[in-house]
């Protein structure tokens, strides 16, 4: 089984008006793909790589872990070793880095202490994406000194929201995250959702050379769209097979950790019941056949596996047009779910889900405007800006505590997933009312040529970053800083 993407340029799906450089790249990539082997299947544990960071603290309300970032290797394709950078569990002697890194897990209200060591050959920081925490533990160059090779840093925060989050470096993100430095962070809560399995699916793609190694070729298309790989991986592998009980109910939590790829998920014949967004449960679950995840976003869904024993279900991603005539490669398989013997039925779903209250605002609430633009006049060096400034040459935005309405105007020719650190927001619909159902987001896809409004409760002093989560865009200017006075 394989998740290698049929590349346009070698197929009949090439769009006529794509730029020349694009066409050429597609042909080169297509050739490289011909020699790629198919990946085999294996069983997928609930935790990626089967591993969770070891909790070394005996206090049930404290999760204390040792996290190491280091060089290592990983077989993206069977039997083909790739050099990667990744995380490993420093509390387990002899542990190796895994892709994704071992999951950090705790329960709502826990205190988390992470003793981090940087064994990489360059400096880094670790950012806890979506976690609301004190600013000095946010893990960006705006909140701490970069950690040099061989250096250490202790991160400490409390888990104040339940849901799926993730962590990754916040320096040269387009390179460090692409090399494998990313891992999920799951915060459990007693939410009354009775399921046969609670699975985490970390979605990513990698650009592999025919040797199976990570390609170090970055072309102008990668810079423009965010690097799109030629192999799609779920929890570090392609072509995975998941065993599930027929008739059972499962909870699947998705995070998109890719540099630039959007995942538009479907499970033909089935529907997803969306119960949570980035920051936890939504107030009212809703059903959907397709689920779009821009880079950085998370979704928490319930799937009722009503099929018969022996059924094989395919989770796949279908095309989403995010601008610049990205060609449609057709559906791409992510993994297979094999239904086994019938499982015990789950208890009824609870009557109430999230308890999110609308953030109150009115016409007197301060408004702040962010205009997203791109300048691709030099294709080898595109520049992405917010309010015509390109990071790091920016003027930090000054704010005081209180509620603000943020207007994000996307005046570029492609979508940008806008991410804010330290605070979650509620998204408003075109009429200015909170998007239904009520829920928390920290990353939201702003469609090209449109304006999206968020209501943000600014309640955390410090220097916070906000940026597009297409990592090539963030690293080429589309990043800013918010300074909140205490
Ligand atoms: Cu996922 Cu600024 O981060
Ligand atoms: Cu972007």
């Amino acid at each position: 089984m394989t998740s290698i993407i049929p590349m346009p340029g070698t197929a009949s799906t090439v769009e006529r008006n794509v730029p020349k450089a694009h066409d050429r790249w597609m042909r080169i990539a297509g050739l490289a793909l011909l020699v790629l082997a198919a990946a085999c299947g294996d069983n997928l544990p609930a935790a990626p790589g089967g591993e969770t960071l070891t909790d070394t603290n005996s206090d049930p309300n404290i999760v204390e872990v040792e996290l190491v970032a280091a060089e290592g290797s990983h077989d993206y394709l069977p039997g083909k070793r790739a050099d990667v950078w990744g995380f490993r569990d420093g509390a387990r002697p002899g542990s190796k880095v895994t892709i994704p890194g071992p999951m950090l897990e705790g329960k709502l209200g826990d205190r988390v202490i992470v003793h981090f060591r940087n064994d990489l050959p360059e400096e880094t920081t670790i950012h806890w994406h979506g976690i609301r925490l004190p600013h000095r533990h946010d893990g960006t160059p705006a909140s701490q000194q970069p950690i040099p090779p061989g250096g250490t840093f202790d991160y400490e925060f409390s888990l104040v929201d339940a849901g799926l989050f993730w962590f990754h470096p916040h320096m040269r993100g387009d390179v460090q995250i692409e090399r494998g430095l990313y891992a999920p962070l799951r915060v459990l809560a007693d939410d009354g959702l009775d399921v046969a399995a609670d699975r985490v699916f970390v979605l990513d793609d990698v650009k592999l050379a025919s040797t199976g190694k990570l390609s170090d070729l970055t072309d102008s298309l990668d810079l423009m769209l965010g690097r799109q790989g030629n192999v799609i991986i779920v929890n570090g592998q392609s072509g995975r097979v998941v065993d599930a009980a027929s008739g059972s109910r499962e909870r699947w939590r998705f995070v998109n950790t890719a540099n630039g790829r959007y995942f538009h998920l479907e499970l033909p014949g089935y529907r997803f019941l969306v119960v949570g967004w980035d920051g936890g449960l939504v107030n009212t679950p809703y059903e959907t056949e397709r689920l779009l995840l821009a880079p950085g976003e998370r979704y928490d869904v319930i799937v009722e596996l009503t099929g018969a024993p022996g059924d094989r279900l395919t989770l796949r991603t279908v095309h989403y047009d995010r601008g610049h005539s990205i060609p449609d490669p057709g559906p791409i398989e992510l993994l297979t779910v094999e239904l086994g013997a019938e499982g015990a039925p789950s208890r009824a779903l609870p009557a109430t889900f999230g308890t999110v209250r609308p953030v109150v605002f009115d016409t007197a609430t301060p408004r702040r405007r962010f205009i997203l633009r791109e300048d691709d006049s030099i294709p080898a060096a595109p520049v992405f800006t917010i309010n015509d400034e390109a990071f790091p040459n920016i003027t930090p935005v000054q704010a005081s505590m209180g509620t603000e309405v943020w207007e994000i105007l996307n005046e570029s020719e492609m979508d940008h997933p806008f991410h804010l650190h330290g605070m979650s927001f509620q998204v408003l619909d075109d009429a200015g009312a909170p998007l239904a159902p009520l829920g928390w987001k920290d990353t939201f896809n702003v469609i090209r040529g449109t304006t999206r409004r968020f209501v943000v409760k600014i309640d955390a002093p410090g220097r916070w970053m906000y940026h597009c989560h297409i990592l090539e865009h963030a690293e080429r200017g589309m990043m800013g800083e918010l300074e909140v006075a205490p």
Side-chain angles (χ1 to χ4, degrees), residues 406-434:
W406 284 21
E407 301 186 319
I408 321 293
L409 281 68
N410 184 347
E411 294 188 353
S412 76
E413 287 171 47
M414 68 185 122
D415 294 9
H416 297 286
F418 191 92
H419 171 51
L420 171 64
H421 286 214
M423 286 150 270
S424 294
F425 48 79
Q426 290 175 5
V427 181
L428 303 181
D429 64 17
D430 290 337

PDB file of all heavy atoms in Angstrom, residues 406-434:
ATOM      1  N   TRP A 406      -9.970  41.574  16.069  1.00  0.00           N
ATOM      2  CA  TRP A 406      -8.887  41.573  15.080  1.00  0.00           C
ATOM      3  C   TRP A 406      -9.487  41.300  13.706  1.00  0.00           C
ATOM      4  O   TRP A 406     -10.262  40.343  13.533  1.00  0.00           O
ATOM      5  CB  TRP A 406      -7.839  40.494  15.409  1.00  0.00           C
ATOM      6  CG  TRP A 406      -6.934  40.876  16.538  1.00  0.00           C
ATOM      7  CD1 TRP A 406      -7.184  41.813  17.503  1.00  0.00           C
ATOM      8  CD2 TRP A 406      -5.636  40.326  16.817  1.00  0.00           C
ATOM      9  NE1 TRP A 406      -6.116  41.877  18.370  1.00  0.00           N
ATOM     10  CE2 TRP A 406      -5.151  40.986  17.975  1.00  0.00           C
ATOM     11  CE3 TRP A 406      -4.845  39.353  16.213  1.00  0.00           C
ATOM     12  CZ2 TRP A 406      -3.910  40.696  18.530  1.00  0.00           C
ATOM     13  CZ3 TRP A 406      -3.611  39.057  16.766  1.00  0.00           C
ATOM     14  CH2 TRP A 406      -3.146  39.730  17.914  1.00  0.00           C
ATOM     15  N   GLU A 407      -9.103  42.146  12.754  1.00  0.00           N
ATOM     16  CA  GLU A 407      -9.562  41.946  11.375  1.00  0.00           C
ATOM     17  C   GLU A 407      -8.366  41.511  10.562  1.00  0.00           C
ATOM     18  O   GLU A 407      -7.385  42.247  10.473  1.00  0.00           O
ATOM     19  CB  GLU A 407     -10.089  43.259  10.789  1.00  0.00           C
ATOM     20  CG  GLU A 407     -11.241  43.834  11.575  1.00  0.00           C
ATOM     21  CD  GLU A 407     -11.828  45.059  10.886  1.00  0.00           C
ATOM     22  OE1 GLU A 407     -11.054  45.884  10.357  1.00  0.00           O
ATOM     23  OE2 GLU A 407     -13.060  45.163  10.856  1.00  0.00           O
ATOM     24  N   ILE A 408      -8.461  40.345   9.984  1.00  0.00           N
ATOM     25  CA  ILE A 408      -7.366  39.842   9.165  1.00  0.00           C
ATOM     26  C   ILE A 408      -7.804  39.960   7.709  1.00  0.00           C
ATOM     27  O   ILE A 408      -8.737  39.281   7.291  1.00  0.00           O
ATOM     28  CB  ILE A 408      -7.048  38.358   9.494  1.00  0.00           C
ATOM     29  CG1 ILE A 408      -7.142  38.071  11.003  1.00  0.00           C
ATOM     30  CG2 ILE A 408      -5.704  37.953   8.900  1.00  0.00           C
ATOM     31  CD1 ILE A 408      -6.113  38.724  11.870  1.00  0.00           C
ATOM     32  N   LEU A 409      -7.131  40.823   6.985  1.00  0.00           N
ATOM     33  CA  LEU A 409      -7.463  41.012   5.567  1.00  0.00           C
ATOM     34  C   LEU A 409      -6.433  40.260   4.746  1.00  0.00           C
ATOM     35  O   LEU A 409      -5.256  40.624   4.746  1.00  0.00           O
ATOM     36  CB  LEU A 409      -7.404  42.498   5.191  1.00  0.00           C
ATOM     37  CG  LEU A 409      -8.583  43.393   5.573  1.00  0.00           C
ATOM     38  CD1 LEU A 409      -8.681  43.583   7.073  1.00  0.00           C
ATOM     39  CD2 LEU A 409      -8.433  44.749   4.890  1.00  0.00           C
ATOM     40  N   ASN A 410      -6.875  39.253   4.063  1.00  0.00           N
ATOM     41  CA  ASN A 410      -5.942  38.500   3.230  1.00  0.00           C
ATOM     42  C   ASN A 410      -5.992  39.058   1.817  1.00  0.00           C
ATOM     43  O   ASN A 410      -6.895  38.750   1.053  1.00  0.00           O
ATOM     44  CB  ASN A 410      -6.299  37.002   3.257  1.00  0.00           C
ATOM     45  CG  ASN A 410      -5.302  36.172   2.471  1.00  0.00           C
ATOM     46  OD1 ASN A 410      -4.491  36.714   1.710  1.00  0.00           O
ATOM     47  ND2 ASN A 410      -5.362  34.865   2.635  1.00  0.00           N
ATOM     48  N   GLU A 411      -5.032  39.881   1.489  1.00  0.00           N
ATOM     49  CA  GLU A 411      -5.008  40.500   0.157  1.00  0.00           C
ATOM     50  C   GLU A 411      -4.033  39.784  -0.762  1.00  0.00           C
ATOM     51  O   GLU A 411      -3.548  40.346  -1.732  1.00  0.00           O
ATOM     52  CB  GLU A 411      -4.639  41.987   0.293  1.00  0.00           C
ATOM     53  CG  GLU A 411      -5.727  42.740   1.037  1.00  0.00           C
ATOM     54  CD  GLU A 411      -5.528  44.245   1.044  1.00  0.00           C
ATOM     55  OE1 GLU A 411      -4.467  44.718   0.589  1.00  0.00           O
ATOM     56  OE2 GLU A 411      -6.443  44.941   1.514  1.00  0.00           O
ATOM     57  N   SER A 412      -3.712  38.534  -0.438  1.00  0.00           N
ATOM     58  CA  SER A 412      -2.785  37.792  -1.287  1.00  0.00           C
ATOM     59  C   SER A 412      -3.559  36.770  -2.103  1.00  0.00           C
ATOM     60  O   SER A 412      -4.781  36.652  -1.978  1.00  0.00           O
ATOM     61  CB  SER A 412      -1.733  37.107  -0.430  1.00  0.00           C
ATOM     62  OG  SER A 412      -2.293  35.979   0.197  1.00  0.00           O
ATOM     63  N   GLU A 413      -2.830  36.030  -2.927  1.00  0.00           N
ATOM     64  CA  GLU A 413      -3.493  35.085  -3.827  1.00  0.00           C
ATOM     65  C   GLU A 413      -3.545  33.668  -3.294  1.00  0.00           C
ATOM     66  O   GLU A 413      -3.756  32.718  -4.036  1.00  0.00           O
ATOM     67  CB  GLU A 413      -2.785  35.110  -5.184  1.00  0.00           C
ATOM     68  CG  GLU A 413      -3.096  36.370  -5.953  1.00  0.00           C
ATOM     69  CD  GLU A 413      -2.223  36.484  -7.181  1.00  0.00           C
ATOM     70  OE1 GLU A 413      -2.103  35.481  -7.912  1.00  0.00           O
ATOM     71  OE2 GLU A 413      -1.656  37.572  -7.398  1.00  0.00           O
ATOM     72  N   MET A 414      -3.253  33.518  -2.005  1.00  0.00           N
ATOM     73  CA  MET A 414      -3.439  32.188  -1.428  1.00  0.00           C
ATOM     74  C   MET A 414      -3.892  32.303   0.010  1.00  0.00           C
ATOM     75  O   MET A 414      -3.795  33.367   0.630  1.00  0.00           O
ATOM     76  CB  MET A 414      -2.157  31.359  -1.539  1.00  0.00           C
ATOM     77  CG  MET A 414      -1.025  31.833  -0.689  1.00  0.00           C
ATOM     78  SD  MET A 414       0.444  30.841  -1.027  1.00  0.00           S
ATOM     79  CE  MET A 414       1.531  32.150  -1.519  1.00  0.00           C
ATOM     80  N   ASP A 415      -4.410  31.202   0.533  1.00  0.00           N
ATOM     81  CA  ASP A 415      -4.901  31.173   1.912  1.00  0.00           C
ATOM     82  C   ASP A 415      -3.727  31.214   2.891  1.00  0.00           C
ATOM     83  O   ASP A 415      -2.641  30.720   2.578  1.00  0.00           O
ATOM     84  CB  ASP A 415      -5.673  29.863   2.176  1.00  0.00           C
ATOM     85  CG  ASP A 415      -6.956  29.752   1.367  1.00  0.00           C
ATOM     86  OD1 ASP A 415      -7.182  30.590   0.469  1.00  0.00           O
ATOM     87  OD2 ASP A 415      -7.736  28.814   1.637  1.00  0.00           O
ATOM     88  N   HIS A 416      -3.973  31.784   4.060  1.00  0.00           N
ATOM     89  CA  HIS A 416      -2.954  31.774   5.116  1.00  0.00           C
ATOM     90  C   HIS A 416      -3.600  31.386   6.447  1.00  0.00           C
ATOM     91  O   HIS A 416      -4.515  32.084   6.900  1.00  0.00           O
ATOM     92  CB  HIS A 416      -2.307  33.150   5.270  1.00  0.00           C
ATOM     93  CG  HIS A 416      -1.571  33.609   4.052  1.00  0.00           C
ATOM     94  ND1 HIS A 416      -0.349  33.083   3.676  1.00  0.00           N
ATOM     95  CD2 HIS A 416      -1.885  34.537   3.116  1.00  0.00           C
ATOM     96  CE1 HIS A 416       0.055  33.678   2.562  1.00  0.00           C
ATOM     97  NE2 HIS A 416      -0.862  34.555   2.191  1.00  0.00           N
ATOM     98  N   PRO A 417      -3.121  30.312   7.086  1.00  0.00           N
ATOM     99  CA  PRO A 417      -3.611  29.982   8.428  1.00  0.00           C
ATOM    100  C   PRO A 417      -2.974  30.885   9.474  1.00  0.00           C
ATOM    101  O   PRO A 417      -1.771  30.826   9.699  1.00  0.00           O
ATOM    102  CB  PRO A 417      -3.185  28.517   8.618  1.00  0.00           C
ATOM    103  CG  PRO A 417      -2.138  28.246   7.599  1.00  0.00           C
ATOM    104  CD  PRO A 417      -2.234  29.292   6.523  1.00  0.00           C
ATOM    105  N   PHE A 418      -3.777  31.741  10.081  1.00  0.00           N
ATOM    106  CA  PHE A 418      -3.291  32.740  11.036  1.00  0.00           C
ATOM    107  C   PHE A 418      -3.265  32.132  12.433  1.00  0.00           C
ATOM    108  O   PHE A 418      -4.258  31.605  12.907  1.00  0.00           O
ATOM    109  CB  PHE A 418      -4.224  33.959  11.001  1.00  0.00           C
ATOM    110  CG  PHE A 418      -3.697  35.167  11.728  1.00  0.00           C
ATOM    111  CD1 PHE A 418      -2.964  36.132  11.060  1.00  0.00           C
ATOM    112  CD2 PHE A 418      -3.957  35.344  13.086  1.00  0.00           C
ATOM    113  CE1 PHE A 418      -2.484  37.253  11.739  1.00  0.00           C
ATOM    114  CE2 PHE A 418      -3.478  36.457  13.761  1.00  0.00           C
ATOM    115  CZ  PHE A 418      -2.743  37.417  13.091  1.00  0.00           C
ATOM    116  N   HIS A 419      -2.109  32.217  13.086  1.00  0.00           N
ATOM    117  CA  HIS A 419      -1.941  31.618  14.427  1.00  0.00           C
ATOM    118  C   HIS A 419      -1.501  32.660  15.428  1.00  0.00           C
ATOM    119  O   HIS A 419      -0.614  33.457  15.138  1.00  0.00           O
ATOM    120  CB  HIS A 419      -0.902  30.487  14.358  1.00  0.00           C
ATOM    121  CG  HIS A 419      -0.494  29.941  15.692  1.00  0.00           C
ATOM    122  ND1 HIS A 419      -1.407  29.537  16.650  1.00  0.00           N
ATOM    123  CD2 HIS A 419       0.732  29.721  16.241  1.00  0.00           C
ATOM    124  CE1 HIS A 419      -0.747  29.102  17.727  1.00  0.00           C
ATOM    125  NE2 HIS A 419       0.547  29.205  17.505  1.00  0.00           N
ATOM    126  N   LEU A 420      -2.130  32.659  16.595  1.00  0.00           N
ATOM    127  CA  LEU A 420      -1.761  33.567  17.676  1.00  0.00           C
ATOM    128  C   LEU A 420      -1.280  32.764  18.874  1.00  0.00           C
ATOM    129  O   LEU A 420      -1.902  31.760  19.249  1.00  0.00           O
ATOM    130  CB  LEU A 420      -2.978  34.428  18.065  1.00  0.00           C
ATOM    131  CG  LEU A 420      -2.834  35.299  19.330  1.00  0.00           C
ATOM    132  CD1 LEU A 420      -1.741  36.359  19.165  1.00  0.00           C
ATOM    133  CD2 LEU A 420      -4.169  35.965  19.669  1.00  0.00           C
ATOM    134  N   HIS A 421      -0.189  33.195  19.471  1.00  0.00           N
ATOM    135  CA  HIS A 421       0.345  32.531  20.670  1.00  0.00           C
ATOM    136  C   HIS A 421      -0.341  33.053  21.934  1.00  0.00           C
ATOM    137  O   HIS A 421      -0.761  34.218  21.978  1.00  0.00           O
ATOM    138  CB  HIS A 421       1.836  32.840  20.810  1.00  0.00           C
ATOM    139  CG  HIS A 421       2.709  32.111  19.846  1.00  0.00           C
ATOM    140  ND1 HIS A 421       3.974  31.700  20.169  1.00  0.00           N
ATOM    141  CD2 HIS A 421       2.508  31.705  18.572  1.00  0.00           C
ATOM    142  CE1 HIS A 421       4.527  31.085  19.127  1.00  0.00           C
ATOM    143  NE2 HIS A 421       3.649  31.081  18.142  1.00  0.00           N
ATOM    144  N   GLY A 422      -0.384  32.198  22.936  1.00  0.00           N
ATOM    145  CA  GLY A 422      -0.722  32.642  24.291  1.00  0.00           C
ATOM    146  C   GLY A 422      -2.192  32.881  24.588  1.00  0.00           C
ATOM    147  O   GLY A 422      -2.593  32.885  25.740  1.00  0.00           O
ATOM    148  N   MET A 423      -2.989  33.110  23.564  1.00  0.00           N
ATOM    149  CA  MET A 423      -4.404  33.373  23.763  1.00  0.00           C
ATOM    150  C   MET A 423      -5.205  32.721  22.651  1.00  0.00           C
ATOM    151  O   MET A 423      -4.758  32.724  21.512  1.00  0.00           O
ATOM    152  CB  MET A 423      -4.678  34.877  23.719  1.00  0.00           C
ATOM    153  CG  MET A 423      -4.221  35.613  24.951  1.00  0.00           C
ATOM    154  SD  MET A 423      -3.732  37.306  24.583  1.00  0.00           S
ATOM    155  CE  MET A 423      -2.001  37.100  24.212  1.00  0.00           C
ATOM    156  N   SER A 424      -6.335  32.167  22.990  1.00  0.00           N
ATOM    157  CA  SER A 424      -7.214  31.641  21.947  1.00  0.00           C
ATOM    158  C   SER A 424      -8.219  32.719  21.582  1.00  0.00           C
ATOM    159  O   SER A 424      -8.355  33.709  22.287  1.00  0.00           O
ATOM    160  CB  SER A 424      -7.932  30.388  22.438  1.00  0.00           C
ATOM    161  OG  SER A 424      -6.986  29.362  22.653  1.00  0.00           O
ATOM    162  N   PHE A 425      -8.904  32.507  20.465  1.00  0.00           N
ATOM    163  CA  PHE A 425      -9.876  33.513  20.039  1.00  0.00           C
ATOM    164  C   PHE A 425     -11.150  32.835  19.562  1.00  0.00           C
ATOM    165  O   PHE A 425     -11.181  31.626  19.343  1.00  0.00           O
ATOM    166  CB  PHE A 425      -9.291  34.416  18.949  1.00  0.00           C
ATOM    167  CG  PHE A 425      -8.607  33.685  17.801  1.00  0.00           C
ATOM    168  CD1 PHE A 425      -9.345  33.097  16.783  1.00  0.00           C
ATOM    169  CD2 PHE A 425      -7.208  33.593  17.744  1.00  0.00           C
ATOM    170  CE1 PHE A 425      -8.719  32.437  15.730  1.00  0.00           C
ATOM    171  CE2 PHE A 425      -6.577  32.929  16.696  1.00  0.00           C
ATOM    172  CZ  PHE A 425      -7.324  32.356  15.688  1.00  0.00           C
ATOM    173  N   GLN A 426     -12.202  33.650  19.423  1.00  0.00           N
ATOM    174  CA  GLN A 426     -13.431  33.160  18.808  1.00  0.00           C
ATOM    175  C   GLN A 426     -13.553  33.834  17.448  1.00  0.00           C
ATOM    176  O   GLN A 426     -13.289  35.023  17.316  1.00  0.00           O
ATOM    177  CB  GLN A 426     -14.633  33.472  19.697  1.00  0.00           C
ATOM    178  CG  GLN A 426     -14.605  32.627  20.968  1.00  0.00           C
ATOM    179  CD  GLN A 426     -15.693  32.961  21.965  1.00  0.00           C
ATOM    180  OE1 GLN A 426     -16.576  33.782  21.707  1.00  0.00           O
ATOM    181  NE2 GLN A 426     -15.629  32.319  23.116  1.00  0.00           N
ATOM    182  N   VAL A 427     -13.944  33.045  16.471  1.00  0.00           N
ATOM    183  CA  VAL A 427     -14.022  33.523  15.096  1.00  0.00           C
ATOM    184  C   VAL A 427     -15.423  34.070  14.861  1.00  0.00           C
ATOM    185  O   VAL A 427     -16.406  33.495  15.324  1.00  0.00           O
ATOM    186  CB  VAL A 427     -13.712  32.365  14.126  1.00  0.00           C
ATOM    187  CG1 VAL A 427     -13.758  32.838  12.683  1.00  0.00           C
ATOM    188  CG2 VAL A 427     -12.351  31.748  14.448  1.00  0.00           C
ATOM    189  N   LEU A 428     -15.499  35.194  14.163  1.00  0.00           N
ATOM    190  CA  LEU A 428     -16.804  35.763  13.846  1.00  0.00           C
ATOM    191  C   LEU A 428     -17.193  35.407  12.413  1.00  0.00           C
ATOM    192  O   LEU A 428     -16.333  35.276  11.545  1.00  0.00           O
ATOM    193  CB  LEU A 428     -16.759  37.286  14.000  1.00  0.00           C
ATOM    194  CG  LEU A 428     -16.318  37.779  15.382  1.00  0.00           C
ATOM    195  CD1 LEU A 428     -16.332  39.302  15.436  1.00  0.00           C
ATOM    196  CD2 LEU A 428     -17.218  37.205  16.475  1.00  0.00           C
ATOM    197  N   ASP A 429     -18.474  35.262  12.198  1.00  0.00           N
ATOM    198  CA  ASP A 429     -18.936  34.994  10.832  1.00  0.00           C
ATOM    199  C   ASP A 429     -19.052  36.317  10.071  1.00  0.00           C
ATOM    200  O   ASP A 429     -18.771  37.389  10.612  1.00  0.00           O
ATOM    201  CB  ASP A 429     -20.243  34.186  10.839  1.00  0.00           C
ATOM    202  CG  ASP A 429     -21.402  34.943  11.457  1.00  0.00           C
ATOM    203  OD1 ASP A 429     -21.311  36.186  11.590  1.00  0.00           O
ATOM    204  OD2 ASP A 429     -22.398  34.301  11.819  1.00  0.00           O
ATOM    205  N   ASP A 430     -19.459  36.250   8.832  1.00  0.00           N
ATOM    206  CA  ASP A 430     -19.476  37.458   8.006  1.00  0.00           C
ATOM    207  C   ASP A 430     -20.431  38.516   8.544  1.00  0.00           C
ATOM    208  O   ASP A 430     -20.260  39.708   8.294  1.00  0.00           O
ATOM    209  CB  ASP A 430     -19.823  37.102   6.556  1.00  0.00           C
ATOM    210  CG  ASP A 430     -18.675  36.350   5.892  1.00  0.00           C
ATOM    211  OD1 ASP A 430     -17.524  36.507   6.372  1.00  0.00           O
ATOM    212  OD2 ASP A 430     -18.917  35.595   4.935  1.00  0.00           O
ATOM    213  N   ALA A 431     -21.437  38.070   9.292  1.00  0.00           N
ATOM    214  CA  ALA A 431     -22.388  39.028   9.843  1.00  0.00           C
ATOM    215  C   ALA A 431     -21.883  39.619  11.158  1.00  0.00           C
ATOM    216  O   ALA A 431     -22.541  40.475  11.746  1.00  0.00           O
ATOM    217  CB  ALA A 431     -23.737  38.339  10.041  1.00  0.00           C
ATOM    218  N   GLY A 432     -20.730  39.120  11.637  1.00  0.00           N
ATOM    219  CA  GLY A 432     -20.171  39.684  12.859  1.00  0.00           C
ATOM    220  C   GLY A 432     -20.568  38.950  14.127  1.00  0.00           C
ATOM    221  O   GLY A 432     -20.219  39.371  15.226  1.00  0.00           O
ATOM    222  N   ALA A 433     -21.290  37.850  13.984  1.00  0.00           N
ATOM    223  CA  ALA A 433     -21.679  37.047  15.146  1.00  0.00           C
ATOM    224  C   ALA A 433     -20.666  35.918  15.311  1.00  0.00           C
ATOM    225  O   ALA A 433     -20.032  35.520  14.342  1.00  0.00           O
ATOM    226  CB  ALA A 433     -23.079  36.472  14.936  1.00  0.00           C
ATOM    227  N   PRO A 434     -20.509  35.391  16.541  1.00  0.00           N
ATOM    228  CA  PRO A 434     -19.569  34.280  16.716  1.00  0.00           C
ATOM    229  C   PRO A 434     -19.944  33.107  15.817  1.00  0.00           C
ATOM    230  O   PRO A 434     -21.120  32.773  15.673  1.00  0.00           O
ATOM    231  CB  PRO A 434     -19.723  33.907  18.186  1.00  0.00           C
ATOM    232  CG  PRO A 434     -20.295  35.117  18.842  1.00  0.00           C
ATOM    233  CD  PRO A 434     -21.131  35.801  17.797  1.00  0.00           C
TER     234      PRO A 434
END
